[in-house]
Amino acid sequence: MAEAARIPVIDISVQGEEEQFRVAEELVDAAIEYGFIYIKNTGKDIPVEDIENAFKISEEFFTTTPLEEKQRCSIQQNNRGWTGMNYETLDPKNQRAGDFKEAFNFGEFNEGKAQQPLPSTFVPYESQVSRFRDLCYNVCLKINTLLGIGLKVQPTDFFTTAHLREKGPSGTTLRFLYYPPLAKTQADREDVRAGAHSDYGSMTMLFRLKGQAGLEILTRENTWAPVPVCPPGTEDDPAPPILVNIGDLLSYWTNGLLRSTVHRVVFPGPGKGAVEGESDTEPRYSIAFFCHPVGTTSLTPVPSERVRSFAGAGDGTNGNPYAERKVLTADEHLQMRLRASYLQLYNEK
Ligand SMILES: O=C(O)CCC(=O)C(=O)O
Ligand SMILES: [Fe+2]
């Protein structure tokens, strides 16, 4: 069995300046070393019922919505809507088939209303989805603030300000994901449910369900390590931790100091890659909140002594294959990545 990733578990629900400073440093250390951080789920930032409810809505959508209804809301170049089985290919250079998953992307809401066509299954839950998106947004701001403190960026709220939605539209997306078990697909065990990729935004918050295997990260040693849903020490928490990972934009912003780690979702198979107590024989559901700064934000390195003094990506340990590309704004980066993974969507037009 492959050895599980040892990603730190951090409690961000602390009070007081001194504690906050300590947590900020822990977050930055984990973001540099792993690019992934477990945020202990205390239920304080996002009530556990809201997470459970979001999964219920997602499951109802994927299991009951007729195909025509999903197709009516197919993904558009604005990155909103439904993606069918094998439609997205996150690692086109290495995949034989597109990702074995379905997904639904929610863009921004305005006063509780989605700004995109919604399948009928979601209509009764529109305000609940909007609320969940707001809860995620607030945690994203909080983590951005802590990263700014930990890196001593001048001013420390630099990242947070760049994410404020009142400053303009962004690529921020709430995504419900569904991965069928191997037996319900045409896939071979070697096919991927989500190809190897780094995330396109500044950071991602991932919600997973106990017992559902599949996520792996690429380690510094270039091996794949499974990421347990419930790492040691979180078994008694009210819900599994929220898995946060650094995306390409925080990596650009910090000259590659913060790591945009490559990850994928696989069919690990019995006794092979799966963590004890997890399996891939049941359908897998996950929910991702992709945080993006305002689209016009420039991705030049931020004012921080720590970032300035970092030697940069030249040592080959940076997980973000795009770190050295010249990209100007958050929107331009997002468009570049979407073009590469939705071949049909961009070739059809
Ligand atoms: O479903 C997961 O566990 C991860 C999905 C993912 O990496 C993504 O959608 O970017
Ligand atoms: Fe991802």
Side-chain angles (χ1 to χ4, degrees):
M1 190 182 284
E3 201 179 325
R6 286 174 209 279
I7 297 164
V9 183
I10 298 178
D11 182 356
I12 61 166
S13 69
V14 293
Q15 302 291 330
E17 213 168 292
E18 211 170 296
E19 277 290 277
Q20 197 189 36
F21 191 72
R22 180 185 57 76
V23 167
E25 292 201 317
E26 283 178 19
L27 270 180
V28 165
D29 288 347
I32 292 172
E33 184 58 27
Y34 303 95
F36 271 76
I37 307 137
Y38 286 111
I39 303 297
K40 195 172 178 63
N41 202 328
T42 56
K44 286 185 198 151
D45 286 301
I46 303 185
V48 173
E49 309 82 74
D50 284 274
I51 301 171
E52 289 171 353
N53 190 40
F55 274 111
K56 258 192 13 223
I57 297 169
S58 169
E59 189 170 343
E60 183 178 336
F61 169 70
F62 288 113
T63 54
T64 69
T65 312
L67 182 62
E68 312 79 70
E69 186 62 9
K70 290 173 175 169
Q71 281 169 338
R72 185 176 65 76
C73 303
S74 282
I75 193 144
Q76 303 295 305
Q77 290 190 358
N78 62 10
N79 200 27
R80 296 175 186 176
W82 174 74
T83 339
M85 199 56 63
N86 306 121
Y87 191 72
E88 188 180 10
T89 310
L90 280 169
D91 184 14
K93 288 207 182 81
N94 296 302
Q95 281 177 248
R96 183 187 70 92
D99 296 358
F100 285 86
K101 71 178 185 207
E102 274 184 53
F104 192 92
N105 286 1
F106 297 94
E108 62 197 11
F109 284 67
N110 194 350
E111 297 188 356
K113 292 270 168 232
Q115 306 296 298
Q116 66 191 85
L118 282 190
S120 52
T121 328
F122 286 136
V123 172
Y125 304 118
E126 193 168 4
S127 63
Q128 294 175 33
V129 175
S130 173
R131 174 183 150 89
F132 187 69
R133 207 177 175 287
D134 286 347
L135 290 165
C136 291
Y137 168 74
N138 288 332
V139 175
C140 157
L141 292 185
K142 184 168 178 179
I143 294 174
N144 272 288
T145 301
L146 289 166
L147 289 174
I149 294 171
L151 284 172
K152 300 196 172 67
V153 180
Q154 293 297 331
T156 48
D157 64 358
F158 185 98
F159 296 134
T160 319
T161 307
H163 285 82
L164 291 176
R165 49 191 179 200
E166 54 270 30
K167 302 237 172 206
S170 79
T172 299
T173 301
L174 174 68
R175 177 174 237 198
F176 288 175
L177 288 134
Y178 161 66
Y179 304 84
L182 183 64
K184 291 270 167 63
T185 68
Q186 307 289 323
D188 291 336
R189 166 100 32 223
E190 287 65 40
D191 283 323
V192 280
R193 300 161 106 180
H197 67 282
S198 59
D199 286 351
Y200 316 162
S202 45
M203 49 161 267
T204 304
M205 293 161 55
L206 185 71
F207 300 85
R208 297 181 294 163
L209 293 172
K210 263 188 189 151
Q212 300 185 358
L215 181 67
E216 296 185 338
I217 61 168
L218 191 62
T219 66
R220 284 178 182 268
E221 290 73 42
N222 232 27
T223 56
W224 290 105
V227 184
V229 177
C230 294
T234 65
E235 298 87 347
D236 299 331
D237 292 349
I242 304 167
L243 188 64
V244 164
N245 65 288
I246 300 299
D248 297 342
L249 306 192
L250 268 166
S251 184
Y252 281 116
W253 259 337
T254 59
N255 255 334
L257 174 65
L258 301 195
R259 203 177 159 80
S260 181
T261 296
V262 172
H263 52 284
R264 65 179 189 179
V265 181
V266 296
F267 295 106
K272 255 178 69 198
V275 174
E276 208 180 312
E278 297 182 7
S279 92
D280 65 354
T281 54
E282 298 297 317
R284 177 179 191 273
Y285 292 89
S286 66
I287 299 176
F289 182 71
F290 300 105
C291 310
H292 288 247
V294 172
T296 51
T297 306
S298 156
L299 301 172
T300 43
V302 297
S304 148
E305 192 46 48
R306 183 123 184 231
V307 169
R308 241 188 319 273
S309 60
F310 177 61
D315 63 356
T317 62
N318 191 292
N320 172 11
Y322 297 90
E324 290 175 45
R325 298 275 296 257
K326 261 261 161 296
V327 173
L328 296 178
T329 67
D331 265 349
E332 283 164 350
H333 179 75
L334 178 60
Q335 282 307 313
M336 174 184 84
R337 300 296 311 267
L338 292 174
R339 267 176 197 284
S341 57
Y342 288 104
L343 304 171
Q344 297 172 53
L345 184 60
Y346 286 88
N347 288 341
E348 276 165 8
K349 304 276 155 104

